[in-house]
Amino acid sequence: MKKIYLLRHAQSAANAGKSSDIVKYANADIPITELGQKQAEQLSMWLSEHVEDVREIFVSSYLRTRQTAAPYVQALQISPIVLPDLHEFNYLSFAHLHGKTFQDLRSRSESYWARDDADFKDGDDCDSFASFFNRIRNVRRYFAEKEDGVYVVFGHGFWIGVLLWQLIGRFSGSPDMQKFREFELLVRPKNTDVYLWQIDGAVESIAKVRNTDADVDTLRDKSEHL
């Protein structure tokens, strides 16, 4: 059996952004905040107490997962592996956001979801929803082929949302953006929430095993730009 501890990164600068703040970072370059650093340290302690015999640690190519992983990586002295398909849903082009306010970002996000076009890309630097959906399937296949054991994966909120959606079967055929959007808003993980994703042959299951609110005060996300 594969036991994969999948968690959302610590609070990022985008998560903490107020409506009047200016968008300064491309999605891949968003750092964690001072609170996020404290969350990362608390998470490292939790993982060290609750997770044993870790084979490998994975991060996305995005800065905030590497920063969140840093205390745990240092504690275990295991070099993290960058998993390309693990990075977050990048559905808004930085060219359209740079220098705009977070309120502008939210308005553009609402327009994106209202378009309801799974193949639409907001720019050359963006995913379509359909391609993002397939990336999660790719990672599922990747871990299904791994050796049995324990893995720790530092990931992202939308990414976890699609995995949950796929595993409980709330779709048929091509992905339905509106149904996913309704689902995602209900289940969105908080920063440093942890899920245990298990793969036993053809059977997959997932359950939340750490609720951040029980361990460290967290500001609720204020931004779509995760």
Side-chain angles (χ1 to χ4, degrees), residues 28-160:
D29 301 324
I30 300 171
I32 63 174
T33 62
E34 183 177 348
L35 173 59
Q37 181 60 44
K38 294 176 181 177
Q39 291 176 336
E41 292 165 1
Q42 289 277 350
L43 176 62
S44 175
M45 289 188 288
W46 186 92
L47 290 168
S48 297
E49 291 172 1
H50 292 85
V51 182
E52 298 179 345
D53 302 322
V54 175
R55 279 183 172 270
E56 293 173 319
I57 299 171
F58 293 88
V59 295
S60 80
S61 58
Y62 284 15
L63 176 61
R64 54 198 180 276
T65 62
R66 301 198 305 273
Q67 290 180 327
T68 303
Y72 187 58
V73 166
Q74 184 175 8
L76 265 64
Q77 293 296 295
I78 297 177
S79 297
I81 299 168
V82 176
L83 191 58
D85 283 334
L86 189 61
H87 71 79
E88 183 59 303
F89 186 24
N90 190 34
Y91 65 95
L92 298 178
S93 175
F94 185 57
H96 299 149
L97 299 174
H98 190 206
K100 302 294 181 63
T101 67
F102 275 75
Q103 182 58 51
D104 294 330
L105 183 155
R106 282 192 283 271
S107 296
R108 193 167 188 90
S109 173
E110 291 170 3
S111 296
Y112 172 86
W113 290 103
R115 181 187 288 268
D116 196 21
D117 181 354
D119 295 315
F120 172 74
K121 292 177 64 176
D122 192 48
D124 292 338
D125 57 336
C126 293
D127 301 302
S128 68
F129 184 73
S131 66
F132 178 61
F133 188 87
N134 286 328
R135 280 207 280 112
I136 282 76
R137 283 178 165 164
N138 290 341
V139 174
R140 289 173 64 190
R141 286 191 287 268
Y142 175 83
F143 278 107
E145 294 171 1
K146 299 286 284 182
E147 294 183 2
D148 286 354
V150 177
Y151 302 89
V152 176
V153 178
F154 290 79
H156 299 268
F158 268 119
W159 201 103
I160 294 171

Side-chain angles (χ1 to χ4, degrees), residues 202-218:
V203 178
E204 293 180 79
S205 62
I206 192 166
K208 185 183 286 189
V209 293
R210 181 186 190 238
N211 187 333
T212 304
D213 283 345
D215 295 286
V216 62
D217 290 339
T218 306

